[in-house]
Amino acid sequence: MSARRAYELIEFWIATPWPLTRPEVQERAAQLGWVVERNALMNPVDGLTQPAVLTGVLPDGTFGSLGFRVTDVVRDGGTQGAEFLDDQFALMVREGVERWGTPRFKRGRAQTAEWHLLDGARVVARRSNTSVVLEYTTPQQSAELHRRGE
């Protein structure tokens, strides 16, 4: 998935009036061509081999986060796979910098770049050992994370 396409998807969710329930998120996701399969949100539009959309729900039943892969899963643990993921992560960070400025970087089991948006939401680009993921965290979930010191 191109960085431009990935961030168009993120911008779609940023423009969404939060909070929303699961049915409301699924209804909006249909506008992107995303579907529900076995009670899970999927992105079949962008041709990734693992199209699952990772979701988080707050205790009150409203959505807290949506994350999706922007690369296929790399099973080759060698240099070529690592370079591919590094390049894709760099493209995602560059696109985010153009939109929101310098992110906060973290290293751990995964390398992340995190932007805190004016409405309180967060966007995270994450490079793991197997893929690159973009995640949108709603203002409500971000407030909860902030209260917990995260």
Side-chain angles (χ1 to χ4, degrees):
M1 179 185 307
S2 73
R4 179 175 297 235
R5 167 67 177 158
Y7 279 90
E8 286 172 355
L9 294 172
I10 291 291
E11 293 282 355
F12 175 86
W13 294 110
I14 289 170
T16 299
W18 296 99
L20 293 176
T21 63
R22 178 178 299 279
E24 291 168 328
V25 167
Q26 291 172 346
E27 183 179 311
R28 287 190 181 270
Q31 295 174 36
L32 300 170
W34 293 5
V35 297
V36 177
E37 292 179 8
R38 288 181 241 140
N39 208 26
L41 198 53
M42 308 292 272
N43 171 9
V45 176
D46 291 296
L48 297 169
T49 56
Q50 293 192 14
V53 176
L54 313 168
T55 59
V57 179
L58 293 166
D60 68 0
T62 61
F63 258 63
S65 63
L66 294 142
F68 52 91
R69 286 182 184 83
V70 298
T71 65
D72 278 328
V73 172
V74 174
R75 303 220 185 270
D76 166 20
T79 304
Q80 188 174 8
E83 288 175 353
F84 168 75
L85 292 173
D86 287 342
D87 290 346
Q88 295 306 305
F89 180 72
L91 290 171
M92 294 303 148
V93 170
R94 187 175 308 131
E95 187 73 22
V97 166
E98 288 179 19
R99 293 167 189 265
W100 307 299
T102 305
R104 186 173 90 179
F105 288 99
K106 292 182 187 176
R107 279 185 102 46
R109 288 183 18 185
Q111 182 178 1
T112 63
E114 183 176 297
W115 292 270
H116 292 255
L117 307 183
L118 294 176
D119 67 354
R122 296 181 189 185
V123 175
V124 176
R126 178 175 290 110
R127 188 256 195 237
S128 72
N129 290 332
T130 59
S131 65
V132 178
V133 172
L134 278 185
E135 181 179 286
Y136 171 75
T137 303
T138 66
Q140 293 77 21
Q141 177 69 42
S142 293
E144 181 61 31
L145 293 171
H146 182 73
R147 278 191 289 279
R148 293 189 303 205
E150 297 178 36

